[in-house]
Amino acid sequence: MNSEANARRIMFVESCFGSSGQPLAIPNRLLVGEGVLTKMCRKKPKPRQFFLFNDILVYGNVVLSKKKYNKQHILQLENVKLQSVPDDGALCNGWQIISPSKSFTVYAATAMEKSEWMAHINKCVQDLLTKHGRKSILATTDPSPVWVPDSDASTCMCCQRSEFSLVNRRHHCRKCGIVCCGPCASRRWVLPHQSAKPLRVCAVCYDKLSCSEETNPAQSNSVNNKITESSGEDSSDSETEAANNGSSGDQPTFYEG
């Protein structure tokens, strides 16, 4: 890969995120590909700009197509695995991006684009693991769950009784990803690979984690106090979308190695 061209591309990505993003230019880092994918967010599918490097996967909200992005997220590729998902009505050509810190589903515009994205990501992951001579952390660490979309749950998936409304809000368990009512998701637990702060977990997961703590008290990550109001952490995706936010119809670009 042309080193000067690669450096220019990475500098341009940095400039598109501006001061809200992290520096991306480091020695031996290559920009492998880029494009828009449809990410399944909490409330609905939304376009997100993705940049595949040889060691990280970067994505963010599209503010102005090919010019400005925000809400930058970075996943370390050596901690990532992919899992294809079947087509479901209008949601086609999808796969899950799974890691200890964050997991979610994305969709490509065509089956060919899905195949290209998955092949390039898998190659980067395998090259990293081979280079460092180790197995994926997912072999010994539970992944972050893929959240169940709000629209898939009209009642609490924990107690299966409480119906959601404007007053009775939906909450997500950070351990298993199901949609719960407030009382069923009133406990917190420290999940180190997701956050240093205590996160909301459902009653079932709390009981399982508590039993594990009793078996291994040295691994205690519990938080005894119940949540009395919203944690403000229910979604990392901005609900405010720019008017000119790009389209998942844009074809991805992959650069020759």
Side-chain angles (χ1 to χ4, degrees), residues 148-160:
V148 175
D150 282 5
S151 58
D152 285 4
S154 58
T155 59
C156 174
M157 299 175 72
C158 188
C159 68
Q160 300 184 352

Side-chain angles (χ1 to χ4, degrees), residues 11-55:
M11 287 180 62
F12 181 71
V13 175
E14 284 187 346
S15 69
C16 288
F17 279 104
S19 59
S20 65
Q22 297 183 32
L24 299 172
I26 64 171
N28 301 316
R29 175 169 286 169
L30 304 176
L31 179 58
V32 177
E34 60 182 276
V36 176
L37 295 170
T38 298
K39 178 177 177 289
M40 178 57 73
C41 298
R42 175 179 175 176
K43 294 186 180 299
K44 62 181 179 180
K46 297 178 182 179
R48 295 289 184 258
Q49 180 72 30
F50 282 77
F51 297 95
L52 174 63
F53 295 84
N54 61 333
D55 61 333

